Amino acid sequence: MPAPRTPAAGQDATGLDPTEQDPTGQDPTGQDPTGQGAEPEQEPGGERAAVLRASAAGLVAAFVGFSSSFAVVLEGLTKVGASHTEAASGLMALCVAMGVCAIVLSLRSRLPISIAWSTPGAALLAGSAGTHGGFPAAVGAFLLTGVLVVLSGLWKPLGRWVSVIPTPLANAMLAGILLPLCLAPAHAVKSDPAVGLGVVLTWAVVGSVRKLYAVPAAVVAAVVLIATTTHIDTGTLGPMWPHPVLVAPHFTVAAAVGIALPLYVVTMASQNIPGIAVLNVNGYRPDPGPLFGWTGVFSLLSAPFGGHAVNLAAITAALCAGEEAGPDPRKRYRAAAVAGGAYILLGLGAAAAVAFVNASPPNVIEAVAGLALLGALGNSLTGAMADAHHREPAVVTLVVTVSGVTFFGVSGAFWGLGAGGLLYALRYWQDTRRDRGADRGEQALPAQDVRRGRPDPR
C-alpha cells in the first residue's frame, strides 16, 4: 500500500483553522501549503527540547489510551468467551499491533498517525450475550472485521457505504451499546459505597480540572482503594507475564452477522473516520485508504491471538497531532512513534493487568469502564436525537439495541440497526412520495381565466 501523502501546514503552525482554506487552495497566511516554503516555529531550547516534548506527548497519549479503556477491552473479550489467559493474550496482541502499526506508519509517512484499539467495538462485545461457538467463533468474526477494514482501504465504495448509514441510526446503535455499561458506576456505588464513591469522586474532581486525565485518575484511585480495602490472595493472581495464545478461528453466520458487521460499522464510524477528521483539523491531509488498509492488516495479525480490532485513534490522536507534540507540524510524527513504543511496553504488562482485574471486586472495574464511556455515550445520544424528523427511528434503534434481544444467535445491535433502518426507510419513502405529489399538484394547477373565474379552456 502506498504511503500517505505529506501534510499541509496546520493550525498550530499558522494560528488559523486549517479548514478555512482559500478557494485557490492557498494557505490563509499566503505561505506554501506544503509547509516547505516557510520556516516553521522552532522549539525553545533547540532540537533536544523538541524531542523531549514530542516524547512526553507520546507517553501521555499511550498511558491515557491504555488506562482509559483496557477494562472495557477485557470485559468485552471475556463476554464473548475468552478465558483469563486468552483475554491477556488478546490485550497484549492489541497493544503490540497498535504499537508496531503506529511506529511503521508514522516513520514511513512522517505524519502523526496514532493507533488505538476499537473502544466502541470492545463495548459492543461487552454488551453482547456471547455467541454460539464460544471464543473461536468470536475470533472468526474478528478476522472478518479485519478483512472488511482492509477492503475499505482498497475499495473506496465499501468505505463510502459506512457513511451511507444514517448518522442518527449509527449514533443510536452505539448509544444502545454503551448505555448498559455506563450504568456500572451507579451499581458500584450501591454495592460498595466507599470504593465506588471514591472512584467516581476522583473522576469528577480531576475531570473538572483536566478532562483528559479524569479516567486515568479514576483507574489510579481504583487501584489504591482496592489494594487498601480488599484482601487479594496472591496465590490466585495467576501469571504476571503474558503468554500469546493462538486461537483457531471458527466461522459462523451468527458471529459474522452479530459481531463482525456491527464491529466493522462502529470501528469505521466511531474510530477510523473521526481519526481522519482529527488529522485534518490539525492540518494533515493523508489519503484515508492506505491508513484504513494498514489498520485492517494489523487487525488481522492480532485477531488469531484474541485482538478484536485495531484502528486510527480519535481522542488521543489530538495529543500527538496538536501543539502538545511541538510547534513544528513536520516533526510531530515522533510523538506518535513514541506512543507506539509505549503501547508495546504496556502490552507486556497485560497479564498483570488481567490478574489484578480478576482479583478485584467486579463492580469497581466495571465502574471504571463505565466512566470511560460516558463521554462517548453523551456524544452518541446527541447525534442520535439532534434531527427531530428522524428521532423516532433513532429511538427504535436505541431501544432494540439496549434490549439485548437475540434471534438466530445474532445480537441486539444488528436488530436495532435493522429495526430503526426499516422505520427510517419507511419515513423516507413517505417523504419522497409526498414531495412528488406536491410537485405534480403544482404542475397540474390549471391556468385560471381571470375574467370568468374558471379554468382557461386553452
Side-chain angles (χ1 to χ4, degrees):
M1 297 180 187
R5 294 196 295 265
T6 305
Q11 179 177 11
D12 299 315
T14 64
L16 297 175
D17 185 351
T19 61
E20 297 177 357
Q21 296 292 326
D22 185 81
T24 63
Q26 297 297 319
D27 185 84
T29 63
Q31 298 174 353
D32 181 2
T34 64
Q36 303 298 324
E39 187 67 24
E41 182 182 349
Q42 297 297 320
E43 173 75 25
E47 183 67 13
R48 182 178 179 183
V51 172
L52 291 176
R53 183 170 175 176
S55 299
L59 292 173
V60 170
F63 174 73
V64 170
F66 183 90
S67 61
S68 296
S69 54
F70 80 95
V72 184
V73 173
L74 293 178
E75 186 174 356
L77 294 177
T78 302
K79 281 292 184 67
V80 293
S83 66
H84 298 334
T85 305
E86 290 169 336
S89 174
L91 184 62
M92 180 191 66
L94 288 170
C95 289
V96 173
M98 289 156 50
V100 176
C101 185
I103 292 172
V104 170
L105 292 181
S106 297
L107 295 182
R108 185 178 180 184
S109 66
R110 293 298 193 265
L111 298 175
I113 308 298
S114 300
I115 306 297
W117 52 51
S118 176
T119 301
L124 168 70
L125 302 179
S128 68
T131 183
H132 181 70
F135 196 53
V139 169
F142 300 162
L143 288 170
L144 290 177
T145 300
V147 170
L148 289 174
V149 175
V150 171
L151 291 177
S152 298
L154 297 176
W155 189 47
K156 292 184 178 180
L158 181 59
R160 288 195 293 267
W161 174 81
V162 177
S163 62
V164 171
I165 298 175
T167 301
L169 303 190
N171 279 301
M173 182 186 71
L174 182 57
I177 292 168
L178 299 176
L179 181 57
L181 301 173
C182 291
L183 299 177
H187 295 316
V189 172
K190 179 182 178 181
S191 62
D192 193 342
V195 177
L197 276 175
V199 172
V200 172
L201 289 176
T202 300
W203 170 82
V205 171
V206 176
S208 65
V209 178
R210 186 70 186 274
K211 187 176 181 180
L212 184 64
Y213 300 126
V215 176
V219 172
V220 174
V223 171
V224 173
L225 290 170
I226 291 171
T228 55
T229 62
T230 304
H231 173 69
I232 298 178
D233 185 1
T234 57
T236 62
L237 286 177
M240 292 289 121
W241 192 255
H243 297 282
V245 178
L246 187 63
V247 180
H250 178 57
F251 298 95
T252 66
V253 175
V257 177
I259 295 180
L261 288 180
L263 179 58
Y264 167 71
V265 170
V266 299
T267 297
M268 291 294 294
S270 302
Q271 291 279 173
N272 278 337
I273 295 175
I276 293 294
V278 170
L279 289 172
N280 290 342
V281 165
N282 285 278
Y284 301 94
R285 301 290 186 270
D287 182 1
L291 298 183
F292 294 164
W294 280 113
T295 57
V297 168
F298 280 93
S299 293
L300 289 172
L301 293 176
S302 67
F305 298 97
H308 66 290
V310 170
N311 45 243
L312 298 178
I315 298 176
T316 56
L319 286 171
C320 296
E323 195 173 37
E324 291 86 352
D328 187 353
R330 297 179 299 182
K331 296 181 180 180
R332 292 175 187 165
Y333 70 91
R334 295 181 293 197
V338 170
Y343 274 126
I344 295 174
L345 295 178
L346 288 170
L348 299 179
V354 172
F356 184 80
V357 167
N358 292 334
S360 305
N363 286 340
V364 177
I365 301 302
E366 292 173 2
V368 174
L371 292 173
L373 297 171
L374 283 177
L377 174 64
N379 293 334
S380 299
L381 288 173
T382 301
M385 306 303 166
D387 187 350
H389 185 64
H390 297 129
R391 190 168 294 161
E392 195 168 39
V395 170
V396 170
T397 302
L398 173 65
V399 170
V400 176
T401 302
V402 170
S403 71
V405 296
T406 58
F407 297 102
F408 311 108
V410 179
S411 67
F414 175 82
W415 299 115
L417 190 60
L422 287 176
L423 185 57
Y424 187 96
L426 178 61
R427 295 291 172 81
Y428 180 81
W429 175 75
Q430 291 174 336
D431 293 342
T432 303
R433 188 178 181 184
R434 186 184 306 112
D435 293 341
R436 288 177 179 175
D439 292 340
R440 285 196 297 268
E442 291 177 0
Q443 295 172 3
L445 287 175
Q448 298 291 322
D449 186 339
V450 178
R451 292 170 301 175
R452 301 178 182 178
R454 54 180 187 267
D456 190 339
R458 295 175 299 176

